[in-house]
Amino acid sequence: MPHSRTSYATHPGEKLKVLIRSTAIRKRVIEVAHKITRDYRGERVHLVGVLKGACIFLSDLVREIGLETSIDFMAVSSYGKQKESSGQVRLLKDLDSSVEGLNVIVVEDILDTGLTLSYLLRVLQQRRPKTLRIAAMLDKPSRRIKPVQGDYVGFKIPNEFVVGYGLDYAERYRNLKDVCTLQLGQ
Ligand code: IMP
């Protein structure tokens, strides 16, 4: 079936261009979930979503994993209205329960500079999980400052600011089904 052209309501002066279509996202999420299912056969996995961006990826991913699962969330300080990271990471919400002895997979929307995940990995490692891995829907390897690698990556993308499928700009556009690049007009 041909794709209908996607058109989204935008804020004045902001332009969206589809980068990854929802159909491709759905297919890739299933592939990633099946890989996790194979890698942890016979075990339970504990998914730790990083709020708020990862909530949509996590919801889709967990439903395709054929293992015993549990979920929890953490929140860290975000970019706010800026498109650039301040380099500072602050824990805004901690986990509800202990991860000691669990197979933890940190679920992120996007791996960019790696500052957020290197901070979270350090915090979580101290809590003695059985294993600790990263699932990131998107990866911008060219932006990396910290040497963090995703164990399960949906798509590698170029250095462009993207929104949709959980990712926001000033809290908007998280609900887009596609991942889109955002251009700010004058
Ligand atoms: P990092 O700490 O630089 O790796 O950035 C991680 C966080 O920055 C992500 O969880 C996102 O919330 C945010 N972020 C990075 N790149 C983008 C983007 O292109 N669009 C929206 N948010 C982004």
Side-chain angles (χ1 to χ4, degrees), residues 7-19:
S7 100
Y8 292 116
T10 53
H11 206 63
E14 295 175 6
K15 259 198 182 151
L16 298 172
K17 219 172 113 194
V18 175
L19 182 68

Side-chain angles (χ1 to χ4, degrees), residues 10 14 35 37 64 78 95 116 150 178:
T10 53
E14 295 175 6
K35 174 95 172 70
T37 305
E64 301 295 341
S78 77
L95 297 172
T116 309
D178 308 299

Side-chain angles (χ1 to χ4, degrees), residues 50-51 53 76 78-79 83 85 89 108-117 140 143-144 157 160-163 167-169 174:
V50 186
L51 293 172
V76 289
S78 77
Y79 292 10
K83 289 211 306 185
S85 169
V89 183
E108 252 287 36
D109 51 1
I110 187 165
L111 229 176
D112 187 27
T113 63
L115 287 163
T116 309
L117 276 170
K140 278 190 217 171
R143 293 258 307 161
R144 207 73 94 250
I157 61 166
E160 290 197 73
F161 193 83
V162 290
V163 294
L167 288 140
D168 76 308
Y169 175 61
R174 291 193 199 276

